Amino acid sequence: MGMTVAPDQIERIVWNQHQNPFEVLGPHQVEQEGKKIWVVRAYLPRASEAWVVFPEERTEFPMTSVHHPHFFECVLDTPEIKNYQLRVKEGDRSYVSYDPYAFRSPHITDLDIHLFAEGNHHRIYEKLGAHLSEVEGVKGVYFAVWAPNARNVSLLGDFNHWDGREHQMRRLGNGIWELFIPGLEVGTSYKYEVKNQAGHIYEKSDPYGYSQEVRPKTASIVADLDRYTWNDSEWMEKRRHTEPLTKPISVYEVHLGSWLHGAASEPGLDSKGNPVPPVIVADLKPGARFLTYRELADRLIPYAKELGFTHLELLPIAEHPFDGSWGYQVTGYYACTSRHGSPEDFMYFVDQCHANDIGVIVDWVPGHFPKDGHGLANFDGTALYEHADPRKGEHKEWGTLVFNYGRNEVRNFLVANALFWFDKYHIDGIRVDAVASMLYLDYLRPTGEWVPNQYGGRENIEAADFLRQMNHVLFGYFPGALSIAEESTTWPMVSWPTYMGGLGFNLKWSMGWMHDMLDYFHMDPWFRQFHQNNVTFSIMYAFSENFMLALSHDEVVHGKSPMIGKMPGDEWQKFANLRALYTYMFAHPGKKTLFMSMEFGQWTEWNVWGDLDWHLLQFEPHQKLKYFISRLNELYKSQPALYTQDFSADGFEWIDCSDNRHSVVAFLRRAKDDVSEYVITVCNFTPQPHAHYRVGVPELGFYTELFNSDSREYGGSNMGNLGGKWAEEWSYHNCPYSIDLCLPPLGVIMLKLDRSKVMPGLAAKEVSDPGEL
């Protein structure tokens, strides 16, 4: 019998130049001499012999080489072919496997391709990437990748000796390549071999891969994200029906890789109690290993709970090759870093957070990505995920590339990625990194090295549209979630809803407040009288956005000094200044974020290669500062006036902000829907205490001293007001009544009217409107 396929078709397969190998390989029904027969073809680059095996009939038929020593075919006179296998001999080794090219129906539908092409496939991560599948009763893994400008794409792995000739993929519409490989399981390492039009080869990790090897290795790993049993249904349901902006939000920002390390000689355990190979930190810290997600759940969560934080914010945990990037140069957007364990281990960590009433926020980096050869850069031999023009597609100062937000498929990749972390890992929020770098075309670019938008402006309209789409879709799927922008400019309406023209975030970091307050507290207290506006100016714009007050990792690196080191004075004054800053922060409108180490006053900057300076907690000042933070969080969560109306001017009133000579400010915070629920805060930002300092109040009665940052139990001088003060009929600060206070040095006090107490010998007087000062 003659050849059943043209020689040029064989050559295209052999030289890996065929975009649809299913046209040649696998089972085909052909007609010869007026009779329909079946022919099975296979290209087996290392085989010397091969057979077609029918396991149910227990028969096998030899294949013959055709035109090429490794191109085999077998002609079968049978009415149908199903469930056949190939027995292959390679030298002294032989094996039996199902033929990938016998499974001819693509898993990706025309609708999937259409939605992806228009940028609206919100669960594209369930179609692209590597997915456990069962086809015609045969289990295996289905692979799909987007590479529209590639000449060919193949799969690489231990299953084919990393030989791209063996598992050549089929091109579908819009440049999607796919192949089902039977017999593969969870834990299989793989890459894509992508050839450009000139035949140059790029070995790429899977952009949609769920797991990756521990650096410095870069292969993706097949993972099953649906086999973990979640126990947080009550938490998730409650979140769906909660408006987070009216709840207390106090965030502990953590870099998992440097919060605490373990000893390499004492490996962690997996979910089955088996030892986990240690992931060594770096040569800079010999003998140290990263803690696993499960170990972090056992250590970090109780610590954060003891301190009273409501949320953990994790610096990026998506896969990244370089530890020193802190996670902000991501190569695996859909893979949690394997430094700390498996995807299931991270799910356990989130689950345990929810069991302890702690939400999880993840730093997300859609603004740029690194140039590493295995990553997204030049993915199919062209600028696919990035702009081709470096004036738009490169951050030279960071050495990274910028996403092409105008390309539908790229935008889909990012929007779906945000949803993915909420969907698969049950996270509660994202903090979007470096939003300003996305919004401005001239960000960190000299004149002449950036391209204006179509209107001649510097605004990146495509990036703004992407952010609106991402937030609109996110809140549609996950009401009650948090989307926080790290945005450092005056771009308007960042935290306004998209239907009002905003970018759609529900919180924005207040970079202005942070800079003003750190500048202010860095000064010698004597000079603060000339800079009262540093304290007061934030209220001028406090309600233009939904602000989060953040003292983040960026403020304790690169020579900026740790928080305690920024404070002036001797050791006592440094701690007192820090307590005053933190208390003012928690009294000020806005949600709160503190970076790890700030809670106990670390004397050194954050070092990504080392542990926090935990040994400091053997010393009383550091112990007391940590206790202070726990009590401050406790107070914050117990007083609705401090959190229910953060973003409305109705929730804040100055009592007096003009006493710059003494560096004193006093203000009132009101609860939502209850004007009688309020907390008065008085701040003394100098080391000079003030006796008989009068402050106006709206009502008569006894004002309990809720909190005093100068308390002895926090390391202060213990000056205060003996538990509280009675108001007097002495109008002051445009208020009908006032109280005579003792203001402690470098101290902040909070007071609240105790309505259960009646002034001795005098009936408490009513005011017509207790909401007016």
Side-chain angles (χ1 to χ4, degrees):
M1 182 175 290
M3 292 173 54
T4 62
V5 63
D8 68 303
Q9 292 282 72
I10 297 175
E11 290 295 313
R12 290 174 65 192
I13 293 293
V14 169
W15 293 101
N16 199 354
Q17 294 180 351
H18 207 300
Q19 294 196 343
N20 186 4
F22 284 85
E23 291 183 353
V24 179
L25 303 177
H28 293 266
Q29 193 172 43
V30 298
E31 186 171 325
Q32 282 197 348
E33 300 175 359
K35 183 179 180 181
K36 289 185 177 181
I37 58 172
W38 285 92
V39 58
V40 176
R41 306 189 193 102
Y43 177 49
L44 306 167
R46 292 172 304 281
S48 56
E49 297 179 79
W51 294 262
V52 175
V53 178
F54 293 94
E56 294 177 2
E57 289 83 8
R58 298 184 179 182
T59 58
E60 66 178 30
F61 302 88
M63 304 184 78
T64 57
S65 298
V66 178
H67 190 71
H68 187 279
H70 300 299
F71 190 95
F72 297 88
E73 75 172 16
C74 177
V75 177
L76 299 165
D77 187 1
T78 180
E80 63 175 351
I81 291 182
K82 63 178 181 179
N83 292 337
Y84 72 88
Q85 296 175 320
L86 299 178
R87 182 162 72 88
V88 181
K89 184 177 181 183
E90 296 178 355
D92 296 332
R93 169 180 177 261
S94 94
Y95 63 91
V96 176
S97 67
Y98 286 97
D99 182 2
Y101 299 100
F103 305 92
R104 309 185 68 81
S105 299
H107 289 210
I108 293 180
T109 67
D110 290 340
L111 179 59
D112 293 324
I113 294 171
H114 171 78
L115 291 173
F116 181 55
E118 69 176 20
N120 289 319
H121 201 311
H122 300 155
R123 297 187 184 274
I124 189 64
Y125 51 84
E126 294 181 345
K127 295 294 183 174
L128 299 183
H131 301 279
L132 294 177
S133 302
E134 184 173 324
V135 182
E136 299 174 11
V138 177
K139 295 180 179 179
V141 177
Y142 179 79
F143 298 90
V145 65
W146 178 58
N149 301 305
R151 189 189 74 186
N152 300 93
V153 180
S154 299
L155 279 153
L156 304 173
D158 290 333
F159 49 87
N160 62 14
H161 304 277
W162 300 88
D163 187 341
R165 297 173 297 171
E166 189 162 333
H167 290 100
Q168 302 175 35
M169 303 179 77
R170 167 173 55 187
R171 181 182 177 117
L172 303 177
N174 198 36
I176 293 174
W177 301 76
E178 59 88 38
L179 185 66
F180 172 74
I181 302 182
L184 298 188
E185 300 175 337
V186 168
T188 300
S189 298
Y190 69 98
K191 280 188 176 183
Y192 296 110
E193 180 186 90
V194 182
K195 287 186 177 179
N196 70 3
Q197 295 300 323
H200 298 156
I201 293 176
Y202 304 84
E203 293 187 1
K204 294 291 187 176
S205 302
D206 190 344
Y208 290 86
Y210 289 164
S211 182
Q212 285 191 12
E213 293 178 310
V214 177
R215 52 87 177 117
K217 294 182 178 181
T218 58
S220 297
I221 300 173
V222 176
D224 181 3
L225 301 189
D226 296 323
R227 65 183 184 183
Y228 179 80
T229 302
W230 288 93
N231 300 291
D232 63 349
S233 57
E234 185 176 337
W235 170 279
M236 299 295 284
E237 184 63 20
K238 181 180 177 181
R239 191 186 75 187
R240 286 185 66 249
H241 300 287
T242 298
E243 170 47 69
L245 300 187
T246 62
K247 300 298 179 182
I249 297 178
S250 179
V251 179
Y252 186 56
E253 186 188 26
V254 183
H255 178 258
L256 295 182
S258 57
W259 183 74
L260 181 68
H261 294 126
S265 59
E266 300 174 1
L269 304 177
D270 63 16
S271 59
K272 298 179 180 178
N274 300 315
V276 177
V279 180
I280 304 303
V281 176
D283 293 337
L284 295 173
K285 192 171 175 63
R289 64 169 175 85
F290 291 114
L291 294 180
T292 67
Y293 292 118
R294 291 177 180 270
E295 289 176 309
L296 286 161
D298 293 340
R299 301 187 190 188
L300 173 57
I301 294 173
Y303 181 79
K305 187 174 183 178
E306 175 195 356
L307 288 170
F309 288 102
T310 64
H311 291 74
L312 290 174
E313 179 190 326
L314 310 180
L315 268 64
I317 51 95
E319 195 59 82
H320 51 282
F322 177 45
D323 295 356
S325 75
W326 312 340
Y328 289 99
Q329 295 192 6
V330 178
T331 51
Y333 275 81
Y334 287 83
C336 65
T337 179
S338 54
R339 288 166 175 81
H340 306 289
S342 68
E344 285 184 79
D345 293 336
F346 182 58
M347 291 175 182
Y348 174 82
F349 175 86
V350 176
D351 213 1
Q352 289 301 300
C353 284
H354 292 169
N356 286 275
D357 293 323
I358 295 175
V360 179
I361 300 167
V362 168
D363 275 15
W364 187 53
V365 193
H368 63 120
F369 59 92
K371 299 177 181 179
D372 295 69
H374 68 281
L376 300 177
N378 203 41
F379 188 81
D380 62 359
T382 68
L384 184 63
Y385 286 88
E386 67 272 29
H387 284 280
D389 187 340
R391 295 176 299 170
K392 294 183 71 175
E394 184 177 6
H395 275 308
K396 291 186 177 180
E397 188 165 317
W398 295 346
T400 55
L401 301 174
V402 180
F403 283 103
N404 182 354
Y405 305 108
R407 188 161 195 167
N408 290 348
E409 296 88 349
V410 174
R411 194 169 64 252
N412 200 147
F413 171 82
L414 292 170
V415 170
N417 184 241
L419 298 176
F420 165 83
W421 290 98
F422 287 88
D423 177 26
K424 297 298 186 181
Y425 288 104
H426 290 202
I427 68 166
D428 303 287
I430 52 174
R431 191 216 58 138
V432 183
D433 179 62
V435 172
S437 74
M438 302 166 64
L439 291 175
Y440 294 97
L441 295 165
D442 61 347
Y443 188 86
L444 297 181
R445 292 184 175 90
T447 302
E449 294 187 16
W450 60 280
V451 181
N453 62 34
Q454 61 265 43
Y455 304 108
R458 57 196 283 258
E459 298 80 10
N460 190 334
I461 297 171
E462 294 168 345
D465 288 342
F466 153 67
L467 291 170
R468 289 190 186 97
Q469 180 187 359
M470 183 274 295
N471 282 315
H472 175 76
V473 172
L474 173 61
F475 292 123
Y477 280 103
F478 302 103
L482 293 172
S483 180
I484 307 164
E486 184 207 12
E487 205 287 312
S488 54
T489 74
T490 56
W491 186 286
M493 303 168 68
V494 171
S495 57
W496 289 38
T498 55
Y499 63 79
M500 297 180 70
L503 293 183
F505 294 94
N506 53 6
L507 286 168
K508 169 184 172 174
W509 274 14
S510 183
M511 310 298 279
W513 176 89
M514 178 270 295
H515 285 297
D516 283 347
M517 293 313 299
L518 292 184
D519 289 347
Y520 182 80
F521 273 89
H522 185 66
M523 299 176 196
D524 183 283
W526 188 86
F527 293 100
R528 292 175 183 172
Q529 61 185 304
F530 308 113
H531 298 274
Q532 187 89 337
N533 59 300
N534 279 51
V535 178
T536 61
F537 180 63
S538 59
I539 299 300
M540 297 292 291
Y541 58 83
F543 312 111
S544 63
E545 298 277 5
N546 300 334
F547 282 116
M548 172 171 273
L549 311 183
L551 297 173
S552 75
H553 63 278
D554 284 324
E555 310 318 315
V556 290
V557 290
H558 303 324
K560 294 181 183 179
S561 178
M563 289 300 297
I564 191 73
K566 299 178 193 292
M567 303 295 115
D570 57 23
E571 181 179 288
W572 187 93
Q573 291 194 32
K574 285 180 182 293
F575 278 94
N577 270 295
L578 202 53
R579 292 193 302 271
L581 170 59
Y582 290 162
T583 310
Y584 175 66
M585 171 184 179
F586 274 69
H588 189 287
K591 307 308 181 184
K592 327 298 177 185
T593 294
L594 282 177
F595 183 57
M596 63 183 194
S597 79
M598 294 181 182
E599 76 276 12
F600 62 82
Q602 180 165 301
W603 287 100
T604 57
E605 290 189 351
W606 171 45
N607 173 17
V608 71
W609 311 105
D611 293 347
L612 300 187
D613 293 342
W614 295 109
H615 65 278
L616 292 176
L617 286 173
Q618 66 185 302
F619 303 112
E620 187 175 273
H622 300 277
Q623 293 174 2
K624 289 188 171 182
L625 181 61
K626 176 173 171 278
Y627 178 64
F628 161 84
I629 289 294
S630 68
R631 293 298 302 274
L632 186 58
N633 270 319
E634 180 183 339
L635 170 79
Y636 170 63
K637 293 186 291 186
S638 71
Q639 298 300 319
L642 296 180
Y643 61 80
T644 57
Q645 206 164 199
D646 277 317
F647 312 117
S648 168
D650 295 336
F652 179 91
E653 299 173 33
W654 283 118
I655 295 174
D656 180 44
C657 61
S658 60
D659 188 7
N660 62 293
R661 188 167 66 91
H662 296 105
S663 298
V664 172
V665 295
F667 56 90
L668 180 149
R669 294 290 308 280
R670 289 193 189 278
K672 188 176 183 181
D673 301 326
D674 185 359
V675 294
S676 66
E677 174 80 18
Y678 57 86
V679 171
I680 292 172
T681 302
V682 186
C683 310
N684 175 21
F685 293 132
T686 71
Q688 174 64 50
H690 300 293
H692 304 296
Y693 192 97
R694 190 161 292 276
V695 173
V697 294
E699 297 180 75
L700 276 176
F702 185 80
Y703 285 80
T704 300
E705 188 175 81
L706 293 177
F707 194 82
N708 184 341
S709 70
D710 190 51
S711 169
R712 181 184 291 114
E713 60 183 354
Y714 309 141
S717 64
N718 212 41
M719 295 186 69
N721 295 278
L722 302 175
K725 285 293 185 76
W726 288 98
E728 301 173 87
E729 292 189 81
W730 184 337
S731 62
Y732 209 75
H733 292 145
N734 294 318
C735 300
Y737 312 101
S738 60
I739 48 179
D740 183 349
L741 295 173
C742 172
L743 302 188
L746 294 171
V748 178
I749 60 174
M750 294 190 199
L751 305 117
K752 184 177 181 180
L753 178 63
D754 186 344
R755 299 184 183 277
S756 67
K757 293 186 177 181
V758 179
M759 187 175 295
L762 182 67
K765 295 188 176 182
E766 300 285 341
V767 291
S768 59
D769 183 358
E772 291 187 4
L773 287 180

